[in-house]
Amino acid sequence: MTVFISLSLYLFFDRFDKLPSIRHPKIIYLTSQSFGDHRANGKFLGMLFAGDGDYYFSLDDDILYPRDYVERMTDFLQRGNNAFIAGVHGARLKTDIKHYLTDRDVANRRMAIATESSVHILGTCTTAFNTDTLRLDVRRWKHRNMVDLTFALICTERGIPLKIISREENWVGSQEENQSDSIFSELQKDDTVQTTMAKALQQFHTNNPEREQQ
């Protein structure tokens, strides 16, 4: 049984002129005016304040998370001694990558998955990990709005496996999908940079085949 002593929610407001009037000691506002224009990368800014041994969950505002989400994801990590990054939405790259958008097999977050398995990329709308396993400072990242690939490259280079949890269909849902201003919509227009990053990620796995067995 997992016992949580303290939880904090870090909310990143990207280019908001006005903030909501919520006041709670465990809800911390982080703004682009104070921390910089990090766009989607901002979901990891809370790591600047997380303590050692904390569990960190990266969340998006258009996702519907179930009530048992934190408990099940933390249990998944603890059963593996916190040695990997847990996720729900994931993908494996095909051997020959010409376009990132098409040359990957995606396990969508809404799909039923019977067996926990390793992936090359996790959707950072549903990742969880222990800070003793991974520390990040997104203020140093080269790319904005390429969070999943940047995250995957960092974890892979550090030898940290990425795994998706087994679950029933629609355990995690969506409030909205494929909005006109979404990162996925931009990806559909041009995936050149993402394809270059995916090739680098695939090459790393090719050169380190033992990682495929983790």
Side-chain angles (χ1 to χ4, degrees), residues 146-183:
M146 298 183 189
V147 197
D148 297 354
L149 278 164
T150 302
F151 185 85
L153 282 164
I154 290 172
C155 292
T156 301
E157 289 168 359
R158 295 184 188 180
I160 306 172
L162 309 177
K163 297 187 178 184
I164 53 174
I165 191 171
S166 59
R167 73 283 185 156
E168 59 275 17
E169 186 177 5
N170 290 322
W171 181 55
V172 171
S174 301
Q175 297 189 64
E176 292 185 73
E177 287 191 341
N178 301 329
Q179 303 95 310
S180 59
D181 61 347
S182 68
I183 294 175

Side-chain angles (χ1 to χ4, degrees), residues 3-208:
V3 178
F4 293 94
I5 298 174
S6 178
L7 294 172
S8 295
L9 178 64
Y10 297 94
L11 298 177
F12 178 61
F13 289 91
D14 178 27
R15 297 165 293 164
F16 275 64
D17 294 325
K18 185 178 180 180
L19 301 180
S21 59
I22 300 172
R23 294 292 180 267
H24 191 284
K26 293 297 183 180
I27 300 178
I28 297 95
Y29 291 172
L30 309 176
T31 66
S32 54
Q33 289 87 343
S34 297
F35 288 88
D37 186 13
H38 298 291
R39 306 295 174 94
N41 302 8
K43 71 182 75 175
F44 287 113
L45 279 171
M47 291 206 70
L48 300 175
F49 308 97
D52 295 336
D54 285 350
Y55 286 95
Y56 193 94
F57 291 79
S58 59
L59 310 170
D60 282 3
D61 60 5
D62 58 353
I63 304 297
L64 295 172
Y65 301 92
R67 290 182 178 274
D68 62 349
Y69 181 76
V70 170
E71 181 180 2
R72 283 179 59 177
M73 292 287 276
T74 306
D75 178 69
F76 180 32
L77 287 166
Q78 290 177 343
R79 284 190 283 110
N81 296 316
N82 298 319
F84 58 88
I85 311 298
V88 181
H89 188 96
R92 291 191 63 85
L93 297 169
K94 296 180 180 179
T95 303
D96 184 21
I97 302 172
K98 292 183 174 62
H99 292 284
Y100 173 65
L101 187 62
T102 56
D103 295 331
R104 56 190 174 131
D105 295 315
V106 178
N108 189 279
R109 58 182 170 268
R110 294 177 301 175
M111 292 172 55
I113 300 292
T115 306
E116 299 160 357
S117 59
S118 296
V119 293
H120 295 140
I121 302 164
L122 286 174
T124 52
C125 56
T126 55
T127 60
F129 51 91
N130 193 284
T131 57
D132 286 347
T133 302
L134 178 66
R135 282 282 185 181
L136 297 168
D137 187 347
V138 296
R139 297 172 300 176
R140 301 180 180 180
W141 285 13
K142 178 180 179 181
H143 300 290
R144 294 179 303 184
N145 286 355
M146 298 183 189
V147 197
D148 297 354
L149 278 164
T150 302
F151 185 85
L153 282 164
I154 290 172
C155 292
T156 301
E157 289 168 359
R158 295 184 188 180
I160 306 172
L162 309 177
K163 297 187 178 184
I164 53 174
I165 191 171
S166 59
R167 73 283 185 156
E168 59 275 17
E169 186 177 5
N170 290 322
W171 181 55
V172 171
S174 301
Q175 297 189 64
E176 292 185 73
E177 287 191 341
N178 301 329
Q179 303 95 310
S180 59
D181 61 347
S182 68
I183 294 175
F184 184 69
S185 294
E186 291 300 315
L187 178 65
Q188 291 176 305
K189 298 174 185 176
D190 183 2
D191 67 349
T192 304
V193 177
Q194 291 89 339
T195 299
T196 299
M197 296 172 73
K199 287 180 177 179
L201 181 61
Q202 179 63 277
Q203 188 62 48
F204 195 95
H205 282 282
T206 300
N207 293 341
N208 299 272

